[in-house]
């Protein structure tokens, strides 16, 4: 029997948007320097759009709804909570995903280099 968190993560993966699908195509299969990412990965009480445990790195994809004041305020609280758990959070807009997907690869590489000294 699966847990409700597993079911929730599965549901989120199945309803992902175009931007998330594009990001997953870039990250899946450890394509970025061998770093394994997971989609809708549980992190504390939240589900990260994409997370790499080894790097303690979360990538969040923000669509237009994230510009709304109440959503932006929740995003700040959520990010602070994730950072308190030891994660680094990179936020990327849908537009950035489609206009400059290489930004993600460079951001992951930069974060990994910082960790490795």
């Amino acid at each position: 029997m699966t847990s409700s968190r597993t079911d929730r993560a599965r549901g989120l993966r199945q309803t992902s948007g175009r931007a998330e699908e594009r990001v997953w195509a870039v990250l899946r299969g450890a394509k970025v320097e061998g770093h394994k990412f997971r989609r809708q990965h549980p992190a504390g009480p939240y589900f990260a759009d994409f997370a790499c445990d080894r790097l303690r790195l979360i990538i969040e994809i923000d669509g237009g709804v994230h510009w709304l004041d109440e959503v932006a305020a929740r995003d700040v609280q959520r990010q602070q909570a994730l950072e308190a758990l030891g994660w680094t959070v990179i936020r990327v807009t849908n537009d950035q995903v489609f206009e400059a997907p290489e930004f993600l690869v460079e951001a992951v590489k930069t974060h990994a280099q910082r960790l490795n000294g």
Side-chain angles (χ1 to χ4, degrees):
M1 177 166 198
T2 60
S3 74
S4 61
R5 286 179 62 83
T6 301
D7 291 340
R8 173 85 171 124
R10 184 175 293 124
L12 290 168
R13 286 191 300 270
Q14 291 171 347
T15 60
S16 60
R18 285 184 38 227
E20 287 184 13
E21 292 297 329
R22 164 94 28 99
V23 171
W24 186 234
V26 171
L27 297 176
R28 76 182 306 160
K31 288 180 187 171
V32 181
E33 296 188 338
H35 299 295
K36 182 179 179 180
F37 280 84
R38 292 189 171 128
R39 292 191 308 166
Q40 299 304 329
H41 180 66
Y46 305 104
F47 290 90
D49 289 340
F50 302 94
C52 177
D53 278 324
R54 186 168 81 192
L55 296 176
R56 298 297 289 170
L57 178 64
I58 288 175
I59 298 174
E60 288 292 308
I61 311 303
D62 294 343
V65 71
H66 291 268
W67 292 103
L68 299 173
D69 289 342
E70 63 273 7
V71 176
R74 279 196 312 268
D75 286 346
V76 168
Q77 291 175 334
R78 181 175 192 254
Q79 183 164 334
Q80 289 172 341
L82 291 167
E83 289 170 348
L85 293 171
W87 292 93
T88 297
V89 180
I90 297 173
R91 302 195 81 80
V92 183
T93 66
N94 283 356
D95 290 341
Q96 287 173 308
V97 168
F98 292 113
E99 293 170 11
E102 66 280 358
F103 166 80
L104 283 172
V105 173
E106 290 307 313
V108 171
K109 287 179 181 180
T110 300
H111 181 73
Q113 288 170 350
R114 266 191 239 125
L115 290 177
N116 294 325

